[in-house]
Structure formats: C-alpha cells, structure tokens
C-alpha cells in the first residue's frame, strides 16, 4: 500500500506566475483534500474533490483551482501568484468524505 | 475567526512527564475530533481521534479527554519521550464537511 505522494517537494516562483502542484492519493482512496499551511500555523482547507467533482471549498479565491483524475490523483493550480501564497501545500486523501485524513509531506512554495 | 482554539503554543516537558495540550471549539455541529502529529518537513500524521459520544479514548501513551458540555478536548501524552518532540494539531469537523485545525503546539521533551 503506497502513501500519499506530492510533487515537487520545493518550488520557487515569482509574483504573478502560475503554479501546478501534484498529488497521488493513497491506494483505494477516492477523496482528496488540499490544505495551505503558513509558517507557524495550522493547515487551512482549500478544497476537496470526491470522485472527480469539487465537493467543498474553503475561503480561498477562484485563482486557486483543482482537478481530480479518474485514478484519484489530483492537481492544485494557483494563478497570479501573490507573496502571501508562500506556504506549505498539503494534499490529504481519505477513503470517504470526513474520514481519516492521510497527508503527504507537502510542497513548499516560495513566491518572490 | 479561529474555529478551533489551541493552547499552549509551546510546551517543554521532562522525559517521563505528562504533556497536556488543550483545544476548545464553539460549533456544536462538530462531530469528529482528531489529533495530528507533525515532524519538521513532513505532513501531519493522524495520532488519535474521538467522537462526542465518548468522554475519553486511550491508545497506548496517548489519551483524548472530551468534555462535550464545555466544548473542550485535550490530548494527554503519558511518559513523554524525546521522540515525541513535534508539533501537535487538534482539529474538528462537522459531518461531511471540512476539517478545521488549531494553530499547533510545539512540544519539546527534554531527556
């Protein structure tokens, strides 16, 4: 059984650019959630995908968007990057909605 | 507005001592309360979780105490070890909805 894997591990972008982060779910999990964790803070919910449909969204602007693929892997896209987008982006998979979350190690995004 | 309030921000405990971290919430729709452990450079890992129909849950050295009327829950780490040094997050979720995390507690266990 493989865990949640995220790529890349680190990324440096400049303000205004676009970025795509990738996540492979734990085997058998059909739900993927994305969280933003600023330095020294707890994770903040961005959105969740269940069977390829967005199933919930936190207080993030539309420039944060995502996809879930038939194999349940997922992407997080952020357009028009801002300095405040610098954070650790965590992907978490679960077997069903509101069940135990299994997190990946995250992608550390720095926006300069 | 922080949906889940966590304290203390940091905690230093001697090896063998008891570590206690507290969380409070307001939303009575929350029905699942997990605790996560996070080491530097890693994502949070589920440690233990409780639902409001029980007041306590124990798994090894880790215990969650839950007070539904006070809307508070806490994590107790018995016989704390240096390997327990990490950041701990409480979280809460209403059925079928997102997870709300506390701001974290940095635990240091001194040998």
């Amino acid at each position: 059984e493989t865990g949640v894997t995220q790529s890349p591990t680190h990324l440096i972008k400049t303000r205004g650019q676009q970025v795509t982060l990738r996540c492979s779910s734990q085997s058998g999990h059909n739900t993927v959630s994305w969280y933003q964790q600023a330095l020294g803070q707890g994770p903040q919910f961005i959105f969740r995908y269940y069977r390829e449909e967005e199933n919930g969204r936190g207080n993030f602007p539309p420039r944060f968007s995502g996809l879930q693929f038939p194999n349940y892997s997922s992407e997080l896209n952020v357009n028009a990057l801002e300095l405040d987008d610098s954070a650790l982006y965590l992907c978490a998979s679960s077997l069903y909605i509101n069940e135990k979350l299994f997190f990946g190690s995250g992608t550390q995004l720095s926006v300069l | 507005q922080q949906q889940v309030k966590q304290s203390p921000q940091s905690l230093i405990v001697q090896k063998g001592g008891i570590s206690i971290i507290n969380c409070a919430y307001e939303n009575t729709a929350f029905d699942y309360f997990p605790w996560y452990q996070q080491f530097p450079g890693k994502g949070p890992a589920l440690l233990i979780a409780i639902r409001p129909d029980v007041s306590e849950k124990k798994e090894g050295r880790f215990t969650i105490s839950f007070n539904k009327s006070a809307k508070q829950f806490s994590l107790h780490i018995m016989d704390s070890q240096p390997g327990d040094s990490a950041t701990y997050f409480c979280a809460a979720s209403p059925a079928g909805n997102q997870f709300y995390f506390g701001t974290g507690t940095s635990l240091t266990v001194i040998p």
Side-chain angles (χ1 to χ4, degrees), chain B residues 10-73:
Chain B
S10 62
L11 183 61
I12 300 174
V13 173
Q14 293 278 355
K15 178 182 175 182
I18 303 173
S19 304
I20 302 174
I21 305 170
N22 302 298
C23 284
Y25 65 96
E26 287 297 326
N27 189 342
T28 55
F30 289 155
D31 70 347
Y32 181 64
F33 302 88
W35 284 90
Y36 284 83
Q37 179 189 56
Q38 186 175 28
F39 292 104
K42 299 292 187 182
L46 179 66
L47 200 57
I48 187 173
I50 197 168
R51 295 194 184 272
D53 53 345
V54 296
S55 61
E56 186 174 283
K57 183 174 182 180
K58 183 176 181 179
E59 290 184 2
R61 297 185 293 109
F62 302 92
T63 300
I64 299 179
S65 296
F66 186 83
N67 186 328
K68 188 174 181 178
S69 60
K71 290 183 280 189
Q72 295 175 350
F73 59 110

